[in-house]
């Protein structure tokens, strides 16, 4: 038997673990030299089976899960670090068992749209990350010549907007821009993703909810009414944008396409038909579309503003129905946070919500408030809470938030499962516990989330990164070592 000193290992075990997508007993052995899982046994081995002094914990009855891969977060550093940051965003992730986040190319300044901008971001991230961080690049008008170089620098995919992004430095792309990007990326190991909302021409728009005029969005009704906001971004925005993307798909038939944060169920048949005729396109949805319904959002409660909007209860039910379909059939394969925070003043918070402000001209105005929901690190518990009455299993959650998200960003050989050769990233999940969302359980920088005040079922007791415990609910963060997260800059090799 090798000595503990020569080959340091760490051992975690439980009667319940999700291994290769299946709930089973397991003992997981991780090399502390490489951080990789070196062996897995399908039973709980006693500590005496390992060299003396080996760190060993039997976590039964808690469930060992692969660390979650949140494939859609905005960390906003550098440039808008007061909105979020690598340190706070990744701590919030680790708190909720998320061991990998993939940062979106916009809302930091500069945006990740050129190699030199990407280098600035990498510099800003060094030494601050508590979990592993991957990066997306951005597609904006005129930057197609940077795209293949960004692939080589390690971006894990690209995102473009078909509608105003909310920040000046990340303009929307036209069909011509998309065509150029598709040609550049046609044979690259990457994924091209879209914020799929687009204002249809007046002849295609639905009823009088949208008027094609200046300003282009002309809401009818009180600006503090959630319903006014909802009507201003109807499902037709999503279906029109997706039809536009599908019309261009033949430019690069082998390039995987992906719709970020799908909200409207009306888009599902379009995507299903496209997949049936061989178009390589998938979609993700978000924790908030699966757990919040527009009928329950109080007027003025701008914590709920995001784009596309949170829709009705029946829309939410439709998203769940799609998600729970057989793997090969489903259009929606992943669930992500789209954690997109800002400072409370930009959220125009009314005095009726925690840390809201005195009434001002824009207070509670859904049209002036920044669009984005904060939830990084809460997703596992949000899904588990909502799933209690929807008949989901913990294996389902692992599929949507670990295995499939890892695959989407080309990390399927390293993350998203507990398997020999994979990183020893583990969430220890207490599926019976519960907790209240409050400032002490929202570790992101700005304590502003529509989930505040909700009790969530399912608590992450401990989080491991490469076999090292980085967080425990009892003891907090492991200060001794500091942030040990790595930047995932190895270029992708697979297209999924
Ligand atoms: Zn986003």
């Amino acid at each position: 038997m090798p000595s503990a000193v020569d080959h340091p290992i760490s051992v975690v075990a439980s009667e319940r673990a999700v291994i290769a997508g299946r709930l089973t007993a397991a003992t997981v052995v991780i090399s502390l030299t490489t951080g990789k899982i070196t062996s897995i046994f399908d039973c709980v081995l006693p500590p005496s089976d390992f060299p003396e002094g080996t760190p060993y914990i039997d976590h039964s009855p808690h469930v060992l899960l692969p660390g979650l891969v949140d494939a859609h977060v905005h960390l906003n550093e550098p440039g808008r670090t007061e909105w979020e940051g690598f340190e706070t965003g990744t701590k919030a992730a680790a708190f909720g068992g998320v061991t990998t986040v993939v940062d979106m190319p916009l809302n930091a300044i500069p945006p990740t749209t050129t190699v030199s901008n990407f280098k600035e971001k990498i510099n800003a991230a060094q030494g601050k990350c508590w979990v592993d961080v991957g990066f997306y690049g951005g597609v904006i008008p005129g930057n197609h010549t940077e795209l293949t170089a960004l692939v080589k620098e390690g971006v894990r995919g690209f995102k473009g907007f078909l509608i105003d992004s909310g920040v000046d430095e990340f303009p929307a792309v036209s069909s011509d821009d998309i065509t150029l990007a598709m040609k550049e990326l046609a044979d690259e190991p990457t994924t091209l993703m879209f914020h799929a909302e687009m204002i249809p021409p007046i002849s295609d728009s639905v009823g009088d909810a949208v008027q094609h005029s200046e300003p282009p969005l002309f809401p009818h009704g009180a600006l503090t009414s959630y319903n006014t906001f909802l009507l201003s971004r109807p499902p037709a925005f999503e279906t029109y944008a997706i039809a536009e993307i599908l019309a261009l798909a033949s430019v690069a038939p082998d390039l995987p396409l992906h719709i970020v944060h799908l909200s409207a169920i009306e888009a599902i048949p379009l995507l299903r038909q496209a997949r049936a005729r061989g178009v390589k396109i998938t979609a993700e949805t978000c924790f908030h579309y699966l757990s919040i319904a527009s009928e329950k959002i109080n007027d003025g409660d701008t914590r709920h503003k995001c784009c596309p909007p949170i829709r009705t209860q029946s829309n939410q039910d439709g998203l769940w129905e799609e998600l729970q379909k057989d793997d090969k059939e489903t259009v929606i394969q992943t669930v992500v946070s789209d954690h997109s925070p800002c400072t409370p003043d930009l959220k125009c918070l009314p005095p009726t919500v925690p840390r809201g402000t005195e009434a001002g001209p824009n207070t509670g105005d859904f049209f002036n408030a920044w669009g984005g929901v904060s939830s990084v690190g809460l997703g596992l518990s949000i899904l588990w809470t909502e799933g209690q009455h929807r008949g989901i299993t913990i294996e389902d959650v692992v599929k949507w938030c670990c295995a499939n998200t890892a695959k989407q960003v080309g990390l399927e050989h390293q993350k998203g499962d507990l398997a020999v050769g994979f990183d020893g990233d583990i969430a220890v999940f207490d599926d019976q516990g519960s907790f209240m969302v409050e400032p002490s359980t929202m570790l992101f920088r700005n304590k502003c989330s529509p989930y505040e005040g909700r009790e969530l079922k399912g608590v992450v007791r401990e989080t491991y990164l490469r076999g090292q415990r980085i967080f425990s609910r009892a003891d907090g963060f492991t200060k001794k070592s500091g942030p040990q997260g790595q930047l995932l800059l190895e270029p992708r090799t697979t297209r999924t």
Side-chain angles (χ1 to χ4, degrees):
M1 188 172 279
S3 91
V5 179
D6 293 344
H7 301 281
I9 56 169
S10 156
V11 179
V12 289
S14 175
E15 293 294 345
R16 302 164 74 214
V18 179
I19 308 286
R22 204 170 61 84
L23 192 63
T24 174
T27 299
V28 181
V29 182
I30 304 156
S31 160
L32 293 177
T33 312
T34 64
K36 303 278 185 194
I37 297 171
T38 54
S39 42
I40 297 181
F41 303 90
D42 61 356
C43 58
V44 174
L45 295 176
S48 55
D49 279 18
F50 299 96
E52 216 181 301
T54 298
Y56 171 103
I57 305 178
D58 177 358
H59 288 284
S60 305
H62 300 152
V63 194
L64 304 182
L65 306 177
L68 276 71
V69 177
D70 190 340
H72 190 151
V73 301
H74 297 261
L75 294 176
N76 305 333
E77 186 172 358
R80 288 195 180 90
T81 311
E82 69 278 16
W83 291 16
E84 192 57 276
F86 289 105
E87 165 101 24
T88 46
T90 57
K91 266 190 155 174
F95 175 88
V98 176
T99 50
T100 304
V101 296
V102 190
D103 178 61
M104 277 291 164
L106 71 157
N107 301 347
I109 304 172
T112 316
T113 47
T114 66
V115 169
S116 84
N117 289 359
F118 186 30
K119 292 198 164 146
E120 275 191 56
K121 182 170 279 199
I122 292 166
N123 284 338
Q126 299 288 2
K128 295 182 189 154
C129 301
W130 286 84
V131 302
D132 284 4
V133 178
F135 301 91
Y136 291 117
V139 176
I140 59 170
N143 82 327
H144 58 280
T145 53
E146 294 276 339
L147 304 182
T148 54
L150 280 164
V151 173
K152 288 182 182 68
E153 294 294 327
V155 304
R156 315 213 67 82
F158 290 90
K159 170 168 156 180
F161 272 69
L162 278 77
I163 198 167
D164 178 49
S165 75
V167 292
D168 294 339
E169 67 278 4
F170 203 94
V173 284
S174 67
S175 298
D176 289 346
D177 299 320
I178 296 171
T179 302
L180 284 172
M182 283 178 164
K183 285 181 175 162
E184 286 291 322
L185 296 174
D187 301 312
E188 297 291 336
T190 194
T191 300
L192 184 55
M193 314 188 294
F194 299 96
H195 179 123
E197 280 187 295
M198 202 172 171
I199 301 170
I202 187 69
S203 57
D204 293 352
S205 74
V206 286
D208 59 2
V210 180
Q211 290 189 357
H212 195 59
S213 61
E214 288 299 325
L217 299 179
F218 193 77
H220 298 253
L223 305 184
T224 53
S225 157
Y226 186 76
N227 210 43
T228 310
F229 170 62
L230 179 59
L231 288 172
S232 78
R233 298 183 90 113
F237 277 32
E238 292 188 65
T239 53
Y240 189 77
I242 288 171
E244 185 80 9
I245 294 157
L246 291 174
L248 297 168
S250 60
V251 172
D254 293 325
L255 176 65
L257 307 176
H258 181 76
I259 305 300
V260 296
H261 51 50
L262 185 83
S263 169
I265 53 170
E266 287 81 353
I268 292 171
L270 276 177
L271 291 167
R272 183 177 302 132
Q273 288 154 19
R275 285 169 62 81
R277 56 173 195 270
V279 178
K280 292 175 80 174
I281 191 161
T282 53
E284 70 193 23
T285 193
C286 303
F287 303 121
H288 39 275
Y289 302 131
L290 296 170
S291 61
I292 303 176
S294 59
E295 292 92 330
K296 303 233 174 86
I297 301 175
N298 289 329
D299 286 348
D301 194 348
T302 49
R303 294 176 300 178
H304 295 82
K305 180 183 174 180
C306 59
C307 299
I310 294 167
R311 303 187 191 277
T312 60
Q313 183 64 58
S314 69
N315 187 82
Q316 183 194 115
D317 295 342
L319 291 174
W320 273 103
E321 192 186 319
E322 181 64 22
L323 191 61
Q324 289 178 281
K325 279 192 181 144
D326 182 74
D327 225 4
K328 288 192 188 60
E329 216 183 308
T330 180
V331 164
I332 304 172
Q333 311 221 336
T334 51
V335 186
V336 298
S337 68
D338 190 8
H339 174 72
S340 185
C342 66
T343 48
D345 57 316
L346 295 177
K347 207 64 182 159
C348 304
L349 296 178
T352 48
V353 306
R355 290 167 296 286
T357 51
E358 288 306 303
N362 296 330
T363 309
D365 176 344
F366 282 99
F367 292 82
N368 269 291
W370 171 256
V373 166
S374 291
S375 69
V376 68
L378 300 176
L380 173 55
S381 303
I382 292 168
L383 275 192
W384 194 237
T385 305
E386 183 64 27
Q388 294 296 304
H389 65 92
R390 294 194 184 266
I392 68 165
T393 63
I394 196 64
E395 295 98 308
D396 290 330
V397 178
V398 168
K399 180 173 72 182
W400 301 325
C401 301
C402 307
N404 288 359
T405 44
K407 192 170 156 203
Q408 188 212 317
V409 295
L411 291 171
E412 68 271 30
H413 305 299
Q414 187 183 350
K415 309 280 190 188
D417 193 7
L418 299 179
V420 171
F422 278 51
D423 289 344
D425 300 348
I426 298 174
V428 178
F429 186 54
D430 172 0
D431 58 332
Q432 297 302 314
S434 60
F435 71 101
M436 186 66 81
V437 180
E438 55 189 15
S440 71
T441 53
M442 295 188 284
L443 272 62
F444 29 86
R445 183 180 298 274
N446 292 291
K447 314 301 176 198
C448 168
S449 169
Y451 295 100
E452 182 164 10
R454 281 203 191 195
E455 188 175 11
L456 297 181
K457 179 152 193 189
V459 179
V460 172
R461 295 290 170 198
E462 299 194 357
T463 304
Y464 291 78
L465 189 70
R466 291 190 195 81
Q468 302 276 7
R469 189 172 71 175
I470 54 168
F471 168 75
S472 98
R473 196 65 182 243
D475 304 327
F477 286 84
T478 307
K479 295 202 179 59
K480 190 177 59 183
S481 49
Q484 292 293 307
Q486 294 184 5
L487 307 184
L488 302 171
L489 299 173
E490 192 73 23
R492 276 183 77 150
T493 53
T494 56
R495 355 168 60 181
T496 41

